[in-house]
Amino acid sequence: MSQTSTTYRVSHLDALEAESIFIMREVVAELERPVLLFSGGKDSIVMLRLAEKAFTPARIPFPVMHVDTGHNFPEVIKYRDARVVDLGLQLVVASVPEALEAGLVREPADGTRNRIQTPVLLAAVEKYRFDALFGGARRDEEKARAKERVFSFRDDFGQWDPKNQRPELWGLYNGRHHPGESIRVFPLSNWTELDVWHYIAREQLSLPEIYYAHEREVVERDGMLYGVNEYLAARAGETPFTATVRYRTVGDASCTAAVRSDADTVEKVIDEVAATRITERGATRGDDRVSEAAMEDRKREGYF
């Protein structure tokens, strides 16, 4: 009598999903007041699905927080609010406009608000006593991200020191910290942009429609296409025109550019991302072009 052996294979996406779920469960087991940073962007949408899977059939055992610059794409805020209602989540909004009104931060001369998110984030962490913050950073996103561990220790000023990181051998994560200190946690550390899109396709996740090709009035500035909106007007000498574009990332509407694209389905986006040679931040984030170390400088100050 012959025996047939069945080979059990785990797909690449299954392995990434299992690792991320393990990380989330470790955080809930080790730390007291975690929160998930949720902007309505694709990476935070994937994290939210992973959190659903990690704790089902129970509800997600932590709130979500959006550090809101006030310069939002309306499609993204609409999606954010609908998703929070669907899952019955507590939404904490750390508001940059409120911080400006209170005098905590000052409006930058160029009108972009990404840099002034940091003190607003740190104030919210202190107010709500969050000791772990889930972020959607990936190591292929920007070179400063590649220096960071899955558990990223932050001191009582919210600052990150790349030379003072803890070893993570054999998937063991150290969440020890003193009062006032916190841990930033990146469950998508080993994912790529292409992995994220394959997961979106597999899980049939809905996204804000600006992730797909659409017509938009834009201006070309510094080699990038910026959507003309109430936060970003055409400058002298710039002529707005209509182009078919999509957004690879959905940050502050005053400094996030679109890319030319006819990818109006998730399958077409996957093909497009697979062929691109420029990271999403490099292609679309004007605030990252300030210097070679722009992201690392902000992370040292307490940025995501």
Side-chain angles (χ1 to χ4, degrees), residues 277-297:
R277 304 292 294 174
I278 304 175
T279 66
E280 63 200 87
R281 293 193 73 96
T284 67
R285 296 298 288 269
D287 55 321
D288 284 347
R289 296 192 173 189
V290 175
S291 74
E292 283 291 318
M295 172 64 79
E296 183 166 335
D297 290 343

Side-chain angles (χ1 to χ4, degrees), residues 21-60:
I21 286 173
F22 171 73
I23 291 166
M24 287 187 163
R25 289 172 176 168
E26 283 292 292
V27 169
V28 170
E30 287 190 44
L31 293 112
E32 295 182 0
R33 298 179 68 86
V35 65
L36 188 147
L37 295 171
F38 182 68
S39 63
K42 67 181 185 310
D43 298 317
S44 59
I45 289 168
V46 165
M47 281 205 303
L48 206 53
R49 171 52 62 92
L50 293 166
E52 285 184 83
K53 289 192 170 188
F55 303 104
T56 189
R59 295 172 64 178
I60 295 173

Side-chain angles (χ1 to χ4, degrees), residues 100 106-116:
L100 285 166
R106 289 184 179 181
E107 186 86 55
D110 63 3
T112 64
R113 294 179 174 178
N114 263 9
R115 284 202 70 99
I116 59 175

